């Protein structure tokens, strides 16, 4: 799923400083699962903003609600009768949400309340980790099911680099060296030879480097599915 | 390893069977060419070629390519270092062509220290290809005379291809395999990371010799003389991939502060003597970090002068 982190209260307050009537808009998608932008978090942010602005001596009216998904026009359309009632809308969805909103409602201002960070999952309660870089050409099967593009700080295809020590990445003591894990897995399974050949140069056209991407499913476009 | 590939001095020295002695020179944090020329004086005639580092430790410096050109003009042979952190494949190929056109005949292909260690940690990194593929790229340009896309090159760059190797990084058992892949990719010579743990390096070289890798590639052992115990401490704590034993720090601390530099040089000289005898080691790469003026003395005392 897409993982995000809430922006600091200071940053959000800075964005909405001159607005008096706000809507905090959560999303029931990924940001609900990673506990950053669902109904509960929208409610907490709304209340926090009210208190903070009251302290500043400029009370604001803050409402909150949640959409099924902000990345789906079918649900974004559900905001049509309400969106004009506010000075601004603060979206708690990933970076996709406020863009779908801005495209559908060009007269309204949408502020992002979260920083979208990565594609990943929870490794323990309250801790999420990156797993995928969305390069558009998955090859994790070549690396024991572990992705060096997303998980090696240098995206090496022939690691580990000289900075790997005791299974830890040189860049951050909290980060496991994914190449250490790949090598150990290959050694354990007797498949070390998989790693000794020089891999083909990666074609980055399928990644963001090829420009903004589109995914088209003809059968859905034509309505045959 | 006999057919001449690049015609570089380093290649000539190694193929003739001499014990190679290479040096290193960090470009200045500025456009101060005189500063570089000053350093060159200490290296000229004392080493077979000089590595020109490429934004080492991710700190911005004068470009390694420009440093190489300045070095050529002073009559020294450069070893052009290139990291994958700062260039995509277009920039790499164009710099390789430019380097060759300027007379550069050796290259060292590296991944590059992560930018978070340097002085612009906010920077975006590139890593379009990795160091293994950079080796393969330089080889393709040299041997097939083609760009990566298969187009013909009008005057192909004939480089003597170098790569790095850190026998002290983990997992240790995999290091010799990674070296083998670098040789497979096209490395003609290897310059190792600074060696301080001689026992571990001996273990590593035994694996190299057992696999016959020393017969397919020239291996130059990395030596860095310590200026004092503080430097050893700092490198041990803050430089990634360093294996500096307590006993080494203790030996430096064991002498008066004024004599620590001399002790550091003595340690380096002992290492060089050991490498001369070590099977599979074809030479020494001396990295006298910001201590270039000591190179003539070290070369003299190591008995590697005059250079062939």
């Amino acid at each position: 799923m897409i993982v995000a982190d809430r922006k600091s209260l200071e940053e959000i307050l800075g964005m909405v400083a001159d607005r008096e009537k706000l809507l905090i808009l959560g999303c029931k998608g990924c940001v609900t699962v990673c506990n950053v932008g669902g109904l509960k978090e929208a409610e907490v942010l709304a209340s926090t903003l009210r208190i903070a602005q009251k302290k500043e001596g400029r009370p604001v009216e803050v409402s909150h609600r949640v959409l099924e998904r902000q990345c789906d026009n079918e649900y974004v359309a559900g905001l049509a009768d309400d969106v004009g009632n506010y000075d601004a809308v603060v979206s708690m969805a990933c970076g996709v949400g406020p863009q779908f909103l801005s495209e559908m409602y060009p007269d309204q201002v949408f502020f992002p309340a979260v920083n979208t960070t990565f594609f990943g999952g929870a490794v323990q309660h309250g801790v999420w980790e990156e797993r995928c870089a969305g390069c558009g050409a998955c090859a994790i099967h070549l690396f024991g099911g572990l992705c060096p593009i997303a998980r090696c700080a240098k995206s090496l295809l022939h690691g580990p680099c000289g900075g790997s020590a005791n299974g830890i990445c040189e860049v951050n003591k909290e980060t496991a060296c994914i190449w250490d894990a790949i090598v150990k897995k290959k050694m354990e399974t007797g498949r070390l030879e998989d790693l000794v050949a020089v891999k083909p140069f990666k074609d980055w056209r399928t990644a963001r480097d090829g420009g903004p991407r589109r995914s088209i499913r003809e059968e859905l476009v034509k309505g045959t599915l | 390893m006999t057919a001449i590939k690049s015609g570089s001095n380093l290649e000539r020295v190694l193929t003739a069977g001499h014990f190679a002695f290479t040096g290193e020179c960090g470009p200045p944090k500025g456009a101060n060419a005189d500063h570089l020329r000053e350093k060159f004086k200490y290296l000229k005639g004392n080493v077979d070629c000089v590595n020109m580092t490429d934004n080492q430790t991710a700190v911005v410096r004068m470009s390694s390519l420009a440093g190489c050109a300045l070095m050529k003009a002073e009559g020294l042979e450069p070893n052009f270092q290139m990291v994958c952190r700062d260039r995509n494949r277009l920039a790499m190929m164009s710099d390789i062509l430019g380097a060759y056109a300027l007379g550069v005949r050796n290259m060292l292909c590296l991944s590059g220290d992560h930018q978070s260690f340097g002085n612009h940690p906010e920077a975006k990194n590139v890593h379009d290809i990795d160091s293994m593929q950079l080796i393969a790229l330089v080889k393709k340009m040299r041997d097939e005379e083609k760009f990566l896309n298969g187009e013909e090159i009008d005057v192909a760059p004939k480089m003597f291809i170098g790569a790095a190797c850190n026998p002290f990084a983990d997992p240790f058992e995999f290091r010799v395999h990674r070296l083998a892949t670098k040789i497979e990719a096209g490395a003609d010579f290897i310059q190792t990371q600074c060696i301080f743990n001689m026992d571990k390096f001996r273990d590593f070289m035994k694996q190299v010799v057992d696999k016959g890798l020393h017969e397919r590639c020239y291996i130059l052992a990395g030596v860095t003389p310590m200026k004092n115990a503080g430097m050893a401490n700092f490198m041990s704590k803050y430089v990634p991939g360093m294996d500096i034993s307590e006993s080494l720090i203790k030996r430096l601390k064991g002498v008066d502060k004024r004599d620590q530099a001399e002790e550091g040089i003595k340690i380096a000289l002992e290492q060089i003597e050991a490498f001369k005898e070590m099977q599979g080691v074809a030479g020494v790469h001396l990295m006298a970090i910001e201590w270039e003026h000591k190179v003539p003395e070290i070369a003299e005392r190591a008995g590697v002068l005059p250079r062939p």
Side-chain angles (χ1 to χ4, degrees):
Chain A
M1 67 172 167
I2 294 174
V3 179
D5 291 326
R6 234 285 306 277
K7 284 180 181 286
S8 71
L9 182 62
E10 291 70 34
E11 188 177 352
I12 297 170
L13 282 170
M15 289 190 287
V16 301
D18 54 349
R19 317 280 166 160
E20 289 176 353
K21 198 173 177 200
L22 295 170
L23 172 66
I24 311 299
L25 190 62
C27 174
K28 284 190 191 171
C30 306
V31 289
T32 293
V33 184
C34 68
N35 303 77
V36 73
L39 181 61
K40 197 174 104 195
E41 291 79 22
E43 186 179 358
V44 170
L45 178 60
S47 147
T48 311
L49 284 176
R50 269 192 296 270
I51 294 165
Q53 296 294 62
K54 201 174 169 185
K55 263 193 193 163
E56 291 292 306
R58 50 179 307 273
V60 289
E61 199 180 308
V62 189
S63 309
H64 71 275
R65 63 182 280 190
V66 67
L67 294 187
E68 198 64 30
R69 283 196 297 277
Q70 292 188 22
C71 57
D72 195 327
N73 279 329
E74 184 187 337
Y75 299 112
V76 173
L79 199 65
D81 54 357
D82 192 27
V83 71
N85 296 330
Y86 307 95
D87 294 339
V89 177
V90 176
S91 166
M92 298 196 77
C94 71
V96 179
Q99 295 190 59
F100 266 61
L101 290 161
S102 298
E103 286 162 30
M104 189 168 287
Y105 307 113
D107 297 333
Q108 183 55 285
V109 180
F110 297 92
F111 292 111
V114 306
N115 295 318
T116 309
T117 47
F118 52 80
F119 305 148
V123 289
Q124 68 179 78
H125 189 60
V127 180
W128 288 264
E129 279 184 2
E130 184 164 18
R131 288 291 183 269
C132 176
C135 73
C138 193
I140 56 170
H141 56 292
L142 302 178
F143 306 100
L146 305 165
C147 178
I149 300 293
R151 301 174 71 182
C152 168
K154 299 174 187 174
S155 295
L156 300 184
L157 291 177
H158 307 82
C161 77
S164 176
N166 299 315
I168 301 296
C169 172
E170 65 175 26
V171 173
N172 186 344
K173 286 191 165 46
E174 303 298 314
T175 305
C177 168
I178 197 61
W179 265 106
D180 188 82
I182 294 169
V183 167
K184 284 186 175 148
K185 191 161 180 187
K186 291 287 183 185
M187 279 177 164
E188 280 162 17
T189 52
R191 305 266 318 171
L192 204 58
E193 71 274 12
D194 290 354
L195 300 180
V196 295
V198 181
K199 300 210 162 39
F201 289 72
K202 194 163 169 66
D203 180 348
W204 292 103
R205 282 175 295 187
T206 56
R208 179 61 187 76
D209 307 84
R213 291 166 283 178
R214 269 190 126 186
S215 185
I216 301 168
R217 298 237 224 113
E218 292 294 348
E219 69 276 22
L220 293 173
V221 176
K222 288 179 188 152
T224 54
L225 191 75
Chain B
M1 294 200 288
T2 45
I4 292 295
K5 294 165 175 172
S6 70
S8 81
N9 181 54
L10 178 63
E11 182 179 14
R12 181 186 62 78
V13 168
L14 285 166
T15 50
H18 299 293
F19 190 77
F21 195 64
T22 59
E24 187 154 310
C25 184
K29 286 173 85 174
N32 191 343
D34 289 338
H35 174 82
L36 260 183
R37 291 188 192 105
E38 193 59 34
K39 287 183 175 185
F40 294 157
K41 284 183 195 160
Y42 302 113
L43 294 156
K44 192 171 182 177
N46 294 317
V47 291
D48 303 319
C49 76
V50 179
N51 289 37
M52 185 56 71
T53 54
D54 183 15
N55 289 337
Q56 77 268 28
T57 63
V59 170
V60 180
R61 292 170 180 277
M62 183 194 288
S63 79
S64 54
L65 180 52
C68 287
L70 289 166
M71 197 192 290
K72 278 294 294 180
E74 298 298 314
L76 291 87
E77 174 162 296
N79 182 10
F80 174 34
Q81 292 197 187
M82 181 180 277
V83 300
C84 299
R85 178 195 60 229
D86 304 335
R87 297 172 181 82
N88 68 5
R89 62 190 82 180
L90 279 79
M92 285 172 166
M93 287 187 278
S94 84
D95 278 353
I96 293 164
L97 294 177
Y100 188 75
L102 290 166
V104 175
R105 296 294 178 266
N106 306 296
M107 269 191 75
L108 190 74
C109 306
L110 306 162
S111 304
D113 294 313
H114 194 266
Q115 71 276 10
S116 59
F117 292 104
N119 62 355
H120 289 77
E122 313 85 354
K124 190 179 196 301
N125 58 25
V126 182
H127 299 298
D128 174 16
I129 67 175
D130 68 12
S131 60
M132 204 71 75
Q133 294 171 325
L134 176 55
I135 296 165
L137 170 63
V138 183
K139 183 178 163 67
K140 185 184 175 89
M141 292 174 82
R142 179 188 70 195
D143 296 351
E144 295 176 33
E145 306 197 344
K146 282 179 178 161
F147 290 101
L148 202 51
N149 65 356
E151 280 177 31
E152 299 282 338
I153 298 175
D154 174 20
V155 182
K158 304 284 182 181
M159 293 287 186
F160 195 48
I161 306 170
C165 165
N166 183 3
F168 309 104
D170 291 321
F172 179 64
E173 322 81 74
F174 185 63
R175 289 293 146 183
V176 72
H177 297 285
R178 191 161 190 256
L179 173 63
T181 311
K182 287 197 174 181
I183 297 168
E184 194 59 45
D188 300 307
F189 68 99
I190 297 290
Q191 291 173 321
T192 77
Q193 180 62 278
C194 318
I195 298 159
F196 297 107
N197 184 338
M198 292 295 279
D199 290 341
K200 198 165 187 181
F201 187 67
R202 268 193 200 92
D203 271 4
F204 176 75
M205 281 310 298
K206 187 174 179 314
Q207 296 173 39
V208 169
V209 171
D210 286 348
K211 282 176 89 78
L213 299 180
H214 64 302
E215 286 164 356
R216 297 171 55 204
C217 180
Y218 300 102
I219 295 167
L220 277 55
V223 173
T224 287
M226 291 291 188
K227 293 178 188 173
N228 49 52
M231 176 180 171
N233 238 333
F234 176 85
M235 286 180 74
S236 160
K237 278 188 188 149
Y238 301 109
V239 181
M242 289 289 156
D243 183 354
I244 300 173
S245 66
E246 267 306 307
S247 63
L248 179 93
I249 298 172
K250 225 170 141 185
R251 179 169 164 189
L252 289 165
K253 277 185 179 162
V255 299
D256 192 271
K257 223 168 188 174
R258 283 174 310 188
D259 301 326
Q260 285 182 358
E262 171 58 22
E263 196 65 19
I265 289 175
K266 271 189 194 156
I267 296 169
L269 291 171
E270 289 165 20
Q271 287 186 296
I272 295 170
E273 281 313 304
F275 293 137
K276 282 182 188 170
E277 303 301 321
M278 202 178 286
Q279 195 186 358
V281 174
V284 158
H285 177 52
L286 181 70
M287 291 165 272
I289 305 165
E290 293 305 312
W291 223 21
E292 287 85 355
H293 65 277
K294 288 283 184 188
V295 172
E297 180 193 331
I298 295 170
E300 181 64 46
R301 290 171 67 185
V304 296
L305 296 182
R307 295 310 307 149

